[in-house]
Amino acid sequence: MTSRQQRNFPRQYARTRRFTLGAPRSFTVAPDGSRLVFLRSPSGTDPVNRLYVMDLDGDGPARERIAADPALLLGGSQEDLSPEERTRRERGREMAGGVVGYATDAAVELAAFALSGRLFVAELRAGTAREVAVSGPVVDPRPSPDGRLVAYVARGALRVVPVEGGDGADRAVAEPEGEDVAYGLAEHAAAESMHRSRGFWWSPESDRLLVARVDDGPVRRWWISDPAHPDREPRRVAYPVAGTENADVRLFLVGVDGAGRTEVVWDRERFPYLARVHWSSAGAPLLLVQARDQRTQHYLAVDAESGATRLVRAEEDGRWLELIPGAPAWAADGRLVRVSDEGGARVVVVGDRPLTDGALHIRGVLDVGDGDVLVSASAGEAATDPEIGAIHVYRVSGSGVERISEGPGVHTAVRGGPVTVLASAVPDRPGARVRVLRDGKRVAEVASYAETPVLSPRVALTVSGPRRVPCAVLLPRGYEEGDGPLPVLMDPYGGPHGQRVVAAHNPYLTSQWFADQGFAVVVADGRGTPGRSPDWEKAVAAGLAPVLDDQIEALRGLAERFPLDLGRVAIRGWSFGGWLAGFAVLRRPDVFHAAVVGAPVTDQRLYDTHWAERYFGGRPQDVPDAYRASSLVWDDGLVEAREPARPMMIIHGLMDDNVVVAHALRLSSALLAAGRPHEVLPLTGATHMPTQEAVMENLLRLQLDFLRRSLGLAGSAGPETSPGAGPDTSAGAGPDTSPGAA
């Protein structure tokens, strides 16, 4: 790699929004396999997504066409987002604009989406798109299964409008009773920690809806302000901080004509969390509800006439019960499809029969077919070295298990009838390849317009230490044996739901850029990270100490095989990784000599109920020692800060409403009181997920400058150059999930 390429990488990384722009995403396949619908922006630097259709039912090759272009539909004007839409995008870590989400009818002939708070529909066969006049601003529009109606949320009310529109046709079917009540939206804890982004669901017959009523009245209010603009009012948000009241969530059945409203009844006092809702033609509405401590959950079938619920299954776990994407659901024959931790493994169960065993660690349910279940899974505890970081797609049934994806990589899929869309991010090429398979044979490929990175990772996937901690090690390109040991940069996320050691290309781009500045970069996934086994994930129950122990174990084990200078070790991270970086230099300054602490949760009492109470075993008032042991600051200042004091760079977005900037400010205050060296980089106007191009670019450069200064490397190499860097000769794939990413 040339020094010019190295200088250009931060700019390219920022301009392409971590190489996500131009890549196809959000696939939907028609049930007859005739159409594929997806989103993609027109280039690797254009942030505005269009809606596309690929026709698959002709005798000739597949044909791709634009179904909706925001530039045409908005007449060239910029998007104007409502506060509710901004919040939805923040919870989903959305980095693009234009059509960022859509929903279709059952036949995938009609798509609905919102632009600038206005409702649009696209007739996918005809290739036309038009606006439907409604009372906005529109949030989360979804067509009825029969394609005649669209339901959406506006100002806390759930409304329904015929696709053909007409005067007086737009009507509210559920209206808020007060300013703290909203219908059809997910509350903060659901969207942020349960990964349930929806708040309403259509009946298969298109005549009713299940609607969540969220009352934020009991929830503590926080104020998010932009100090750079003192003329602007702070934003008032309901944040369910650990140990305090959650939103009151109820569920109602409502008719599309607005007449008749029936409450769905379950023991909400014992099971306040509405974690999952599934309603299909295969059975009654299906709910998954959890106790507040998340150690008990019930699968409930809803009587759609009376609202009464029937217990289908109860589950318990002494640590916590993990929520799995795509589950639960009904099989075509009416049996319950679930993912459960049984016998030390995470398995797919249909009815009472497990369809997988400990050979696979199930990551999610992708589709439930007539006689099979499509899942994503990793090899789990039995993984051999070639399987490190791999995630595959499998078809499981009573007849056995069949792997659909091939070769090392991170694979996922969407299915409709005979057509499967397989997206594969692999180690030796950038981006993700998207293939369209009909009955297992490739019939098309969806083009990606994402830019090719100016660098390619030189990554070694391995395991380290007695626990075989999965690791990725990156050295400067051009480094040769005998060049001597390198200063080390640990680059983890390191915690729940954040696997970083993956068999793909793009996740290591920023790590390789730092390596090319003269570092040996180590990414380690210790206990608490996903993809290995339930026991591995749940080893952090009631405390996060194992997370740091495994980073140290991995580092020391790797030093026996790689040129690591253990006298110069830094660590960087964002969000959970930011907490881990701060935790490392405060608790183990004998190992870590500097830290970049990005958007950290410094006081665990200030994070949300569902997340914090799961991992610390209860509420702060009940188990204060568990919270204190995993916090960086407490009421009396720093927690267990040891000597010598190590420098920190603390970075935080001032508009962050997930990990609020109070975390960083309290840490800085405590460090100042203790006389410890640190610097604070406030990001004006940034949330938990900075998207401003200049901010994203210069954050990398400023971190590099801090690391060089802190480790005494400022004079060892010129700015953004690595003496050992050679020409860029490799290639590779997959989304960038570096700790610099939110």
Side-chain angles (χ1 to χ4, degrees):
M1 173 192 287
T2 66
S3 60
R4 180 178 180 182
Q5 285 176 312
Q6 291 180 354
R7 287 195 299 272
N8 286 345
F9 174 76
R11 182 167 300 170
Q12 186 190 33
Y13 172 82
R15 189 179 64 243
T16 62
R17 300 195 182 173
R18 305 173 186 138
F19 301 95
T20 61
L21 302 181
R25 53 175 255 200
S26 305
F27 302 101
T28 304
V29 183
D32 61 0
S34 62
R35 282 177 305 287
L36 167 64
V37 187
F38 61 96
L39 301 178
R40 186 181 58 203
S41 67
S43 78
T45 58
D46 190 330
V48 181
N49 280 328
R50 297 168 174 172
L51 182 70
Y52 288 83
V53 173
M54 178 178 281
D55 294 312
L56 304 170
D57 58 349
D59 295 329
R63 303 177 306 280
E64 184 183 294
R65 52 190 169 84
I66 299 172
D69 185 344
L72 298 177
L73 296 173
L74 295 178
S77 62
Q78 296 294 315
E79 282 190 275
D80 181 18
L81 303 181
S82 67
E84 293 83 1
E85 179 62 19
R86 290 185 185 278
T87 297
R88 275 180 56 82
R89 295 190 183 192
E90 178 66 20
R91 297 286 78 80
R93 308 294 190 264
E94 178 59 63
M95 300 188 70
V99 186
V100 300
Y102 68 94
T104 70
D105 62 352
V108 192
E109 297 193 358
L110 182 84
F113 54 92
L115 291 172
S116 284
R118 295 153 56 186
L119 173 61
F120 292 87
V121 295
E123 291 90 2
L124 301 175
R125 281 188 184 274
T128 57
R130 57 185 171 83
E131 183 174 2
V132 179
V134 296
S135 173
V138 172
V139 178
D140 195 23
R142 294 180 178 271
S144 57
D146 64 9
R148 296 183 303 107
L149 305 168
V150 176
Y152 67 96
V153 179
R155 298 185 179 89
L158 183 70
R159 306 185 67 88
V160 173
V161 63
V163 169
E164 300 304 323
D167 292 340
D170 180 22
R171 58 188 178 272
V173 297
E175 295 190 86
E177 296 85 359
E179 64 176 357
D180 296 328
V181 176
Y183 284 90
L185 296 177
E187 72 278 18
H188 178 98
E192 187 64 51
S193 295
M194 300 180 216
H195 305 291
R196 173 175 65 77
S197 60
R198 298 180 57 181
F200 68 91
W201 300 264
W202 278 102
S203 70
E205 297 80 19
S206 303
D207 60 343
R208 285 173 294 179
L209 298 112
L210 269 173
V211 187
R213 177 189 185 272
V214 174
D215 182 356
D216 277 327
V219 180
R220 180 173 295 182
R221 291 310 194 264
W222 282 0
W223 300 88
I224 308 297
S225 64
D226 185 355
H229 297 279
D231 56 313
R232 298 178 184 174
E233 288 189 6
R235 186 160 60 95
R236 181 174 178 258
V237 300
Y239 193 98
V241 65
T244 66
E245 293 297 316
N246 279 301
D248 179 61
V249 179
R250 300 161 67 183
L251 196 61
F252 290 88
L253 287 152
V254 299
V256 295
D257 57 1
R261 171 168 142 166
T262 303
E263 183 169 4
V264 176
V265 179
W266 77 93
D267 187 351
R268 293 190 300 111
E269 184 173 350
R270 185 181 174 196
F271 297 97
Y273 289 134
L274 178 65
R276 296 285 186 267
V277 177
H278 172 79
W279 200 357
S280 72
S281 57
L286 177 63
L287 313 182
L288 178 61
V289 296
Q290 284 191 328
R292 178 153 178 167
D293 65 9
Q294 299 169 64
R295 296 172 185 168
T296 307
Q297 64 186 20
H298 281 181
Y299 299 84
L300 304 175
V302 180
D303 185 315
E305 300 302 323
S306 68
T309 54
R310 171 179 57 86
L311 179 64
V312 179
R313 184 177 180 83
E315 290 182 336
E316 294 184 357
D317 189 295
R319 292 169 292 186
W320 72 79
L321 289 153
E322 192 69 30
L323 296 173
I324 306 299
W330 294 120
D333 60 8
R335 290 182 295 166
L336 177 67
V337 178
R338 58 189 175 90
V339 176
S340 180
D341 295 348
E342 297 184 3
R346 184 158 295 153
V347 299
V348 175
V349 183
V350 178
D352 294 322
R353 182 181 180 183
L355 298 185
T356 59
D357 56 24
L360 293 181
H361 180 76
I362 302 300
R363 311 297 294 272
V365 173
L366 304 174
D367 182 63
V368 178
D370 287 343
D372 65 8
V373 181
L374 200 68
V375 301
S376 64
S378 46
E381 289 283 4
T384 60
D385 285 0
E387 296 171 316
I388 295 172
I391 303 175
H392 282 285
V393 176
Y394 297 84
R395 189 175 70 86
V396 300
S397 67
S399 302
V401 177
E402 175 190 6
R403 197 171 87 179
I404 304 300
S405 52
E406 299 178 353
V410 176
H411 307 270
T412 189
V414 173
R415 186 170 66 173
V419 170
T420 299
V421 179
L422 182 65
S424 301
V426 297
D428 59 354
R429 65 177 274 181
R433 182 183 182 190
V434 180
R435 287 165 290 171
V436 183
L437 312 176
R438 183 184 293 274
D439 297 322
K441 297 181 180 180
R442 188 178 73 85
V443 296
E445 191 161 322
V446 183
S448 173
Y449 302 149
E451 282 199 4
T452 299
V454 296
L455 60 80
S456 292
R458 171 187 171 179
V459 59
L461 297 179
T462 185
V463 294
S464 181
R467 294 187 183 88
R468 295 178 52 83
V469 175
C471 297
V473 182
L474 300 99
L475 304 179
R477 259 93 40 89
Y479 180 89
E480 296 181 359
E481 187 176 352
D483 284 353
L486 294 164
V488 181
L489 176 60
M490 301 293 287
D491 197 9
Y493 181 79
H497 304 283
Q499 184 177 1
R500 284 269 286 124
V501 179
V502 291
H505 176 280
N506 283 24
Y508 302 109
L509 291 171
T510 53
S511 297
Q512 185 64 59
W513 181 77
F514 277 104
D516 288 339
Q517 315 311 314
F519 292 89
V521 179
V522 173
V523 182
D525 280 351
R527 284 169 290 176
T529 57
R532 182 160 169 171
S533 72
D535 284 343
W536 185 262
E537 293 179 10
K538 296 177 182 180
V540 297
L544 301 175
V547 171
L548 179 57
D549 294 342
D550 287 355
Q551 295 294 315
I552 296 171
E553 177 184 300
L555 174 67
R556 289 175 172 168
L558 293 171
E560 299 175 1
R561 295 180 282 144
F562 293 90
L564 308 185
D565 180 356
L566 298 187
R568 295 182 295 176
V569 179
I571 183 170
R572 71 183 282 265
W574 195 269
S575 195
F576 187 96
W579 164 84
L580 177 54
F583 196 68
V585 293
L586 287 176
R587 303 296 174 88
R588 294 302 303 269
D590 57 316
V591 177
F592 300 96
H593 306 99
V596 175
V597 182
V601 179
T602 62
D603 186 339
Q604 302 292 350
R605 297 172 299 180
L606 293 183
Y607 203 55
D608 79 59
T609 51
H610 194 269
W611 193 96
E613 293 171 16
R614 179 194 318 152
Y615 298 117
F616 300 115
R619 302 178 302 171
Q621 55 267 45
D622 299 326
V623 287
D625 291 346
Y627 282 79
R628 182 184 176 96
S630 296
S631 292
L632 309 186
V633 297
W634 206 253
D635 299 334
D636 52 359
L638 296 174
V639 179
E640 295 184 35
R642 300 172 185 174
E643 298 295 338
R646 300 300 191 186
M648 293 189 205
M649 169 182 269
I650 305 168
I651 309 170
H652 217 117
L654 296 180
M655 297 293 288
D656 194 336
D657 66 353
N658 176 29
V659 182
V660 294
V661 73
H663 287 276
L665 297 178
R666 292 186 183 189
L667 176 59
S668 175
S669 178
L671 291 169
L672 180 62
R676 287 179 168 250
H678 70 286
E679 48 199 79
V680 179
L681 186 58
L683 307 181
T684 302
T687 63
H688 196 61
M689 178 190 61
T691 57
Q692 303 97 318
E693 188 171 317
V695 170
M696 293 175 65
E697 174 183 350
N698 289 309
L699 268 180
L700 291 178
R701 303 185 193 280
L702 291 172
Q703 289 176 63
L704 175 62
D705 174 71
F706 167 79
L707 293 169
R708 283 177 167 164
R709 287 187 282 110
S710 300
L711 296 181
L713 305 173
S716 63
E720 299 183 40
T721 62
S722 172
D728 184 5
T729 59
S730 58
D736 190 343
T737 55
S738 68

